[in-house]
C-alpha cells in the first residue's frame, strides 16, 4: 500500500495510509464475531502507459454471534500504481450492496 493511500469501507468509515489500514484491520480482526473477508477480483485494466491499473470485484464478509450469522458484501474498486519497488495500492472503495442476518441495518 502507498503511504498516503485512501481506504473507504462499506460503512462509510475511512482511513489514510498504512497506519490507518493497520488500525482498521487490528480492530476488525479482534472482533469476536469476525469470521472472514473474501475479496474476489473480477477485472483488472492497466493504463496504456502501464503505470496505473484499476481492479474491480466483489467482496463478502461473515460475522457470527449468539444471535446468528450475518453475511454482507458488495462491489469494490482498487486503484493501483507501479513504482520502482513494484505495484502499490493508491486507494480502495467498498460498497455494501447486500446483507442478511442480525447485524444488518436498514
Amino acid at each position: 500500500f502507498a503511504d498516503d493511500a485512501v481506504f473507504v469501507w462499506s460503512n462509510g468509515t475511512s482511513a489514510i495510509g498504512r497506519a490507518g489500514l493497520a488500525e482498521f484491520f487490528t480492530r476488525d480482526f479482534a472482533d469476536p464475531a469476525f469470521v472472514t473477508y473474501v475479496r474476489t477480483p473480477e477485472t483488472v485494466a492497466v493504463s496504456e502507459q502501464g503505470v496505473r491499473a484499476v481492479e474491480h470485484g466483489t467482496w463478502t464478509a461473515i460475522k457470527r454471534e449468539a444471535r446468528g450469522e450475518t453475511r454482507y458484501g458488495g462491489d469494490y474498486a482498487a486503484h493501483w500504481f507501479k513504482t520502482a519497488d513494484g505495484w502499490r495500492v493508491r486507494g480502495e472503495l467498498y460498497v455494501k450492496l447486500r446483507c442478511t442476518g442480525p447485524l444488518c441495518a436498514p
Side-chain angles (χ1 to χ4, degrees):
F1 297 101
D3 290 332
D4 60 350
V6 176
F7 306 93
V8 180
W9 291 285
S10 64
N11 65 2
T13 61
S14 61
I16 297 176
R18 292 179 189 179
L21 183 63
E23 182 181 320
F24 169 81
F25 281 120
T26 298
R27 182 178 58 250
D28 227 34
F29 291 165
D31 180 351
F34 172 79
V35 175
T36 190
Y37 287 127
V38 177
R39 176 172 148 162
T40 307
E42 294 177 351
T43 62
V44 175
V46 180
S47 68
E48 291 177 2
Q49 298 82 12
V51 297
R52 294 195 183 278
V54 62
E55 171 189 343
H56 292 109
T58 59
W59 62 276
T60 301
I62 300 172
K63 292 195 174 184
R64 193 174 295 131
E65 59 179 17
R67 297 184 294 162
E69 183 174 277
T70 298
R71 290 178 176 263
Y72 54 100
D75 291 1
Y76 76 90
H79 173 184
W80 293 82
F81 71 103
K82 194 172 187 178
T83 72
D85 297 323
W87 288 92
R88 300 283 186 262
V89 172
R90 170 78 64 210
E92 294 181 346
L93 171 66
Y94 291 84
V95 180
K96 188 186 305 182
L97 300 174
R98 59 192 162 278
C99 187
T100 59
L103 297 175
C104 299

